[in-house]
Amino acid sequence: MDRRAFREGFPLFVPAIPFGLVIGVAAMTSQMPAAGGWLTSVVIFGGASQLATVTLAGTASIWAVMLAALVINSRHLMYSAALSSTFSRQPRWFAVLGPFVLIDQVFALMATKTHLEPTEFRRYYITVGLFFYLTWILVVSVGMMLGPVIPVSWRLDVAPALMFTGLVVLAIDRSPALVAAIVGGSVAYLGINLPERLGIVAGAVAGVAAGGVAEMIAMRRGER
Amino acid sequence: MNIMETVLVLGVIAIGTYVARAVPILMLAGRVLPVPVQLALRNVGPAVLSALIVVSISTSSFSPGIQVAEVVALVVAGIVARWRRNLIWATGAGLVALWIGLWLF
């Protein structure tokens, strides 16, 4: 275990605590069995996709649920690609197991640690990865315990949308991201009456495509 | 959603997520993703999450359509997120705005 990894990882985990609690609460109001809601933390381990899964479960087709979660997690391809050269110096077992915990925060920390010696990098990665994984499961479990005692009139069913709004706002740092958000939301709204909540998929695909086009335009104009 | 569907959904998402996290590490070995793919992946978060916001609010079990109080709550959450750069503040402020909005409208 690497003490520095704890010290540097903890501040990144604190903001994720309310997110985990909301997922726990949402899991208890989901139409997915409670055990399934809890297992999203264990087998998926990705906040936004977990929240999408438990929120959509039972109200959208299972294909729409799976597609929405997988599209959300497709950004991890970039994290993995960015660390691939660093992992090429690691043993095979670590290259196979390590990516399971490659979430946003772990990537943010590890992207600044690629200069470390392979053994040091591995120890740091395992420490932050396990720390985030185990504490995340704990926080979601606490949220699930709190869920049933919170009155329905508090309208915590809106909390996931509020949290998503915060995430979107924080993610909009450049004009292509704004274009992706506007197009994604607008197309989803236009497709609100589509069966099985396919409006989400339509909005996601349209938003990603629009964001990609905006990126190309921005690149040509010299925006970073 | 029954148990079989839950197992299927969790299994597919878990495997798909692992593939997204692992395949470039295991297969690329230092090479990079094609530029169009990189550009498309950059804005997955804003695109998908905004679609989720619209659909989850529009199809809330509490009321058909979108309530004024819900829109106010989303706007407040967005403003506070931009101001404080903090999800706890954003969600808390949004909930307070929702409660006030439900009381007023």
Side-chain angles (χ1 to χ4, degrees):
Chain A
M1 292 294 119
D2 187 319
R3 284 189 180 188
R4 188 175 48 148
F6 275 122
R7 204 170 53 241
E8 294 176 357
F10 186 73
L12 280 182
F13 182 73
V14 172
I17 292 174
F19 197 3
L21 293 175
V22 169
I23 290 171
V25 173
M28 293 306 286
T29 56
S30 170
Q31 292 185 37
M32 176 180 274
W38 182 77
L39 277 172
T40 59
S41 304
V42 179
V43 299
I44 300 173
F45 185 42
S49 59
Q50 286 179 239
L51 195 50
T53 302
V54 297
T55 306
L56 295 175
T59 59
S61 72
I62 59 172
W63 308 111
V65 176
M66 292 189 288
L67 200 55
L70 290 176
V71 171
I72 290 172
N73 287 342
S74 65
R75 72 188 185 285
H76 295 149
L77 279 166
M78 285 184 70
Y79 302 163
S80 181
L83 292 177
S84 61
S85 60
T86 309
F87 267 82
S88 65
R89 297 190 294 275
Q90 295 291 339
R92 187 73 180 167
W93 67 266
F94 181 61
V96 170
L97 295 177
F100 180 72
V101 292
L102 187 54
I103 58 170
D104 299 348
Q105 292 90 337
V106 172
F107 173 74
L109 285 168
M110 298 319 299
T112 62
K113 299 287 180 286
T114 53
H115 61 283
L116 295 177
E117 288 298 312
T119 311
E120 210 179 343
F121 178 90
R122 190 163 63 247
R123 191 165 54 233
Y124 192 105
Y125 187 103
I126 291 171
T127 304
V128 290
L130 282 179
F131 168 68
F132 277 106
Y133 183 62
L134 296 175
T135 46
W136 179 250
I137 292 171
L138 179 69
V139 169
V140 172
S141 304
V142 171
M144 291 183 76
M145 285 186 270
L146 289 176
V149 299
I150 296 174
V152 175
S153 60
W154 287 17
R155 290 295 310 271
L156 285 192
D157 61 303
V158 180
L162 297 173
M163 192 149 275
F164 283 147
T165 303
L167 285 170
V168 169
V169 168
L170 294 178
I172 295 174
D173 54 349
R174 298 151 56 252
S175 53
L178 180 63
V179 169
I182 291 171
V183 172
S186 303
V187 172
Y189 186 70
L190 291 174
I192 206 78
N193 291 321
L194 287 175
E196 310 291 1
R197 300 207 178 179
L198 285 173
I200 295 168
V201 178
V205 171
V208 169
V213 172
E215 289 282 1
M216 277 191 272
I217 294 170
M219 208 162 64
R220 284 185 191 149
R221 286 180 179 170
E223 191 179 318
R224 76 172 173 86
Chain B
M1 182 176 273
N2 62 40
I3 290 175
M4 282 306 294
E5 287 174 334
T6 301
V7 169
L8 177 66
V9 164
L10 291 183
V12 169
I13 298 173
I15 291 168
T17 300
Y18 175 75
V19 165
R21 290 171 181 166
V23 163
I25 281 177
L26 295 170
M27 311 283 277
L28 283 181
R31 288 182 300 233
V32 293
L33 290 173
V35 172
V37 176
Q38 288 187 38
L39 292 178
L41 288 175
R42 262 186 207 174
N43 300 302
V44 163
V48 181
L49 294 177
S50 56
L52 278 169
I53 293 164
V54 169
V55 173
S56 65
I57 286 292
S58 305
T59 55
S60 163
S61 56
F62 279 81
S63 60
I66 302 176
Q67 290 180 291
V68 175
E70 292 169 339
V71 175
V72 170
L74 292 178
V75 171
V76 169
I79 291 170
V80 173
R82 174 64 76 184
W83 173 41
R84 304 289 302 191
R85 315 293 299 172
N86 184 312
L87 281 179
I88 307 170
W89 278 94
T91 308
L95 278 174
V96 171
L98 175 74
W99 297 329
I100 294 171
L102 288 172
W103 181 65
L104 285 176
F105 303 112

